[in-house]
């Protein structure tokens, strides 16, 4: 079977490539190794666990991609604030802020057409000014994104609506169809069942889930890379949980407030990320360790708000394997928690003692939302520099969000974000093979739903223009 365009992966990157091409006469097929969105159910998700154990995993695979079952925070740049231009990926190497704003506006329009929430955060200019003044006086940079929050219960319906549009407009979707091999010279792909399909243009949008597979393909096919296996660094930190009332003033204006903090002792750069107002902390299970994450289910709101506080760590000589370092930190932390994430009160961490169930119970205003986290001592797992940075950053944030560095604040570890390899692409998302495109998170180009969707639209626009 021959298609003009074959897209591998139906995350936001792949879906938005197909969305744009659905308006053209090109014959397009989308291959996805996971299930269709309505079949993606993870029983452990109800227990606040992303178990990542099914093969393929329903949390990270399937139509809608990695964030398909998440609470769908859509982050857009705010043209009035240049600090927001880095949101969603490192796009400024390949496009101007104006172009980025234009592409993000297209993504936003499509999401709204298919049922995304009309409520928008990050537009109250007076309030943002007020927060910015406070932040700057505490030497913190506030990045005032424009944001929409779809919510866990609504996102699958939005994805289904997009999928229906694609099918109605002639896009062929192959769920449960893992692509096993690619022959760049022969312009063909082979699925796990052994079926072969030919293409004129190939779009690789395999996400973090497919990053390892992509690495092999890239090596075998001589596709050029910019960065091997995340040599650029790694993000390590904790998930912070506080009473939602403490964060409400800021989260009602900026749903997921992004703060950038330079720590005093080590001069390291930390950031807040993935704030979940009235949400719960989640657990992600990997083969030999677990990590923490967070989400907000509008149907199951809690009295707590959580966010990730992450430092970016890079290495020079002789060690160049940040992902390996991150994995060993994750393993030791998980082991100390008896195969669980560790939970510690900020007061205990500062006093140099472990948290215990009794001490956690003493927290009158704040009880942990992740019940399987084990009270312990994060300082036995994390290097001193990381611990110093966490305390330092929280104390700085406390100046603009009073109470964040309170005694009862809860810290969960390990919270680690690994980086994938980075494929060398031009400003149309083309690799050194001009008919092979890489898009989204798996190729190290985007970080997040909107960013991945933007790369999909750009690839699709290029294919449309070049196939005329
Ligand atoms: C739990 C969770 C919550 C998140 N919440 C948010 C959020 O609120 N906001 C936000 O902006 N981002 C969020 N993210 C991140 C976001 O989901 C990703 O940034 C985004 O989905 C990346 O899009 P993508 O198209 O690059 O790849 P993905 O969404 O990862 O999609 C890639 C797809 O390719 C498929 N695939 C891989 N290999 C193959 C193969 N060989 N053959 C066929 N198919 C293959 C996979 O099954 C997958 O469905 C979250 C991620 C997770 C895991």
């Amino acid at each position: 079977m021959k298609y003009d365009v074959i897209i591998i992966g139906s995350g936001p990157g792949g879906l938005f490539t197909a969305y744009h091409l659905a308006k053209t006469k090109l014959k397009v097929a989308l291959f996805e190794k996971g299930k269709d969105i309505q079949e993606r159910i993870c029983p452990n998700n109800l227990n606040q666990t992303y178990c990542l154990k099914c093969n393929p995993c329903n949390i990270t695979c399937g139509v809608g991609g990695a964030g398909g079952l998440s609470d769908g925070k859509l982050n857009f740049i705010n043209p009035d604030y240049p600090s927001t231009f880095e949101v969603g990926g490192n796009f400024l190497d390949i496009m101007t802020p104006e172009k980025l704003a234009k592409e993000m506006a297209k993504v936003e329009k499509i999401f709204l057409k298919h049922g995304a929430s009309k409520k928008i955060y990050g537009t109250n200019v007076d309030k943002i000014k007020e927060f910015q003044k406070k932040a700057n006086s505490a030497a913190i940079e506030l990045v005032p994104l424009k944001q929409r929050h779809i919510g866990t219960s609504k996102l699958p319906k939005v994805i289904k609506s997009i999928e229906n549009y694609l099918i109605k407009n002639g896009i062929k979707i192959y769920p449960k169809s893992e692509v096993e091999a690619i022959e760049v010279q022969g312009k063909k792909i082979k699925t796990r069942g052994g079926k072969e399909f030919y293409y004129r243009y190939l779009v690789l949008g395999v996400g973090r889930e497919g990053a390892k597979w992509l690495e092999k393909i890239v090596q075998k096919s001589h596709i050029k890379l910019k960065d091997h296996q995340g040599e650029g660094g790694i993000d390590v930190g904790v998930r912070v949980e506080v009473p939602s009332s403490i964060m409400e003033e800021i989260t009602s204006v900026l749903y997921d407030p992004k703060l950038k903090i330079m720590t005093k002792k080590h001069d390291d750069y930390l950031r807040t990320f993935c704030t979940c107002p009235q949400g719960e902390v989640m657990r992600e299970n990997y083969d030999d360790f677990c990590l923490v994450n967070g989400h907000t289910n509008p149907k199951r709101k809690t009295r707590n708000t959580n966010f990730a506080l992450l430092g970016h760590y890079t290495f020079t000589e002789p060690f160049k394997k940040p992902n390996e370092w991150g994995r060993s930190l994750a393993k030791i932390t998980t082991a100390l928690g008896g195969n669980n994430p560790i939970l510690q009160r900020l007061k205990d961490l500062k006093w140099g003692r472990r948290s215990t169930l009794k001490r956690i119970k003493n927290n009158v205003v704040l009880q942990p939302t992740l019940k399987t986290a084990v009270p312990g001592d994060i300082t036995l797992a994390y290097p001193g520099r990381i611990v110093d940075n966490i305390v330092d950053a929280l104390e700085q944030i406390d100046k603009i969000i009073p109470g964040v560095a309170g005694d009862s604040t809860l810290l969960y570890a390990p919270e680690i974000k690994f980086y994938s390899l980075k494929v060398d692409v031009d400003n149309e998302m083309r690799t050194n093979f001009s008919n092979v495109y890489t898009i989204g998170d798996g190729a190290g180009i985007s970080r997040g739903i909107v960013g991945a969707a933007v790369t999909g639209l750009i690839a699709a626009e290029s294919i449309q223009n070049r196939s005329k």
Side-chain angles (χ1 to χ4, degrees):
M1 175 94 64
K2 184 163 183 182
Y3 287 99
D4 292 312
V5 185
I6 284 182
I7 304 163
I8 307 178
S10 66
L15 284 179
F16 277 72
T17 309
Y19 201 96
H20 184 88
L21 294 175
K23 295 178 206 147
T24 67
K25 292 204 170 93
L26 295 167
K27 206 172 153 200
V28 180
L30 189 54
F31 288 80
E32 167 55 55
K33 79 172 176 185
K35 295 175 188 159
D36 212 340
I37 182 71
Q38 69 274 18
E39 292 175 45
R40 288 177 65 181
I41 295 158
C42 175
N44 288 311
N45 195 0
L46 301 172
N47 300 328
Q48 296 173 274
T49 304
Y50 296 142
C51 74
L52 309 166
K53 284 261 155 79
C54 308
N55 191 11
C57 163
N58 282 300
I59 296 293
T60 56
C61 300
V63 174
L69 303 182
S70 77
D71 59 350
K73 286 188 269 294
L74 303 181
N75 296 327
F76 302 95
I77 66 167
N78 210 334
D80 295 333
Y81 300 97
S83 60
T84 65
F85 295 169
E86 285 170 17
V87 162
N90 304 317
F91 293 118
L92 295 188
D93 295 349
I94 48 176
M95 69 184 94
T96 61
E98 291 74 27
K99 166 95 175 149
L100 180 58
K102 221 166 125 187
E103 296 299 324
M104 283 194 169
K106 288 182 199 165
V107 171
E108 188 174 15
K109 201 169 157 195
I110 294 170
F111 269 117
L112 284 170
K113 183 175 163 193
H114 291 278
S117 133
K118 301 265 182 292
K119 186 167 166 63
I120 184 152
Y121 295 84
T123 53
N124 186 338
V125 180
D126 293 338
K127 270 281 181 197
I128 289 175
K129 252 192 189 156
E130 205 180 289
F131 287 128
Q132 248 178 344
K133 194 174 159 199
K134 271 195 204 171
N136 292 351
S137 62
I140 291 178
E141 187 178 1
L142 172 77
V143 185
L145 303 178
K146 246 177 70 182
Q147 290 169 322
R148 291 182 191 275
H149 175 235
I150 302 182
T152 316
S153 47
K154 207 169 181 190
L155 186 58
K157 291 179 196 141
V158 173
I159 294 168
K160 187 69 205 163
S161 170
I162 292 176
E163 190 192 10
N164 286 343
Y165 172 90
L166 297 181
I167 295 168
K168 212 169 132 197
N169 285 281
I171 305 285
K172 175 76 186 158
I173 301 181
Y174 293 90
K176 299 182 198 164
S177 300
E178 181 173 0
V179 176
E180 212 167 46
I182 292 172
E183 266 184 44
V184 171
Q185 306 293 349
K187 297 186 184 170
K188 71 174 176 185
I189 65 159
K190 198 169 159 192
T191 61
R192 189 170 269 277
K195 285 191 186 151
E196 291 184 341
F197 297 84
Y198 290 82
Y199 62 82
R200 282 170 61 207
Y201 296 94
L202 178 68
V203 182
L204 299 163
V206 294
R208 279 169 196 246
E209 167 69 26
K212 275 226 147 60
W213 175 79
L214 184 63
E215 202 181 312
K216 280 191 217 144
I217 296 293
V218 155
Q219 268 167 11
K220 197 170 157 219
S221 315
H222 305 290
I223 292 173
K224 275 195 196 153
L225 291 179
K226 258 192 187 160
D227 180 13
H228 299 257
Q229 298 175 347
E231 271 172 18
I234 188 166
D235 292 347
V236 181
V238 286
R239 193 150 277 263
V240 181
E241 189 165 49
V242 294
S244 57
S245 55
I246 285 177
M247 302 275 296
E248 206 176 337
E249 194 190 352
I250 193 159
T251 55
S252 61
V253 178
L254 296 162
Y255 187 83
D256 174 18
K258 309 271 185 205
L259 305 172
K260 286 179 169 182
I261 308 115
M262 196 57 76
T263 60
K264 288 183 182 143
K265 184 167 174 190
H266 300 288
D267 224 7
D268 283 329
Y269 155 70
L270 269 75
R271 66 185 173 113
T272 62
F273 170 80
C274 186
T275 303
C276 303
Q278 293 185 277
E280 52 197 16
V281 178
M282 304 282 295
R283 165 193 177 126
E284 288 178 1
N285 285 343
Y286 293 85
D287 282 342
D288 43 7
F289 58 82
C290 61
L291 298 177
V292 285
N293 207 325
H295 81 169
T296 299
N297 184 340
K299 288 193 177 158
R300 204 172 59 204
K301 284 191 174 172
T302 71
R303 293 167 61 194
N304 297 358
T305 288
N306 68 74
F307 61 89
L309 179 63
L310 296 168
H312 187 66
Y313 299 96
T314 51
F315 298 85
T316 51
E317 286 293 331
F319 185 74
K320 280 191 180 168
K321 292 179 178 165
N323 282 347
E324 224 171 76
W325 180 68
R327 264 191 285 275
S328 61
L329 291 182
K331 277 190 210 170
I332 188 70
T333 313
T334 307
L336 288 169
N339 212 23
N340 293 295
I342 292 184
L343 162 70
Q344 191 170 19
R345 284 192 311 176
L346 183 58
K347 177 178 184 172
D348 296 327
L349 181 131
K350 280 187 186 169
W351 283 25
R353 64 185 193 187
R354 71 170 293 174
S355 282
T356 58
L357 264 182
K358 189 164 174 263
R359 286 175 184 151
I360 297 285
K361 278 195 180 137
N362 285 345
N363 261 7
V364 278
V365 288
L366 181 70
Q367 284 303 307
T369 53
L370 180 59
K371 303 296 176 201
T372 57
V374 169
D377 190 348
I378 293 169
T379 68
L380 289 178
Y382 277 11
R385 175 165 167 175
I386 297 181
V387 175
D388 288 348
N389 283 340
I390 291 165
V391 176
D392 183 335
L394 284 172
E395 283 173 354
Q396 292 191 56
I397 297 172
D398 195 79
K399 292 182 189 149
I400 57 168
I401 311 173
V404 159
D407 282 350
S408 56
T409 292
L410 297 173
L411 309 174
Y412 298 80
E415 168 76 75
I416 298 176
K417 299 283 177 239
F418 297 94
Y419 284 75
S420 346
L421 77 176
K422 204 169 197 171
V423 178
D424 195 2
V425 291
D426 67 7
N427 58 4
E428 298 175 28
M429 302 295 147
R430 293 183 306 165
T431 64
N432 49 316
F433 293 89
S434 61
N435 65 335
V436 179
Y437 293 71
T438 55
I439 57 168
D441 289 16
I445 297 162
S446 60
R447 283 188 308 267
I449 296 171
V450 175
V454 162
T455 62
L457 287 184
I458 289 170
E461 283 160 16
S462 165
I463 292 170
Q464 185 186 15
N465 290 335
R466 289 180 181 278
S467 62
K468 274 176 191 161

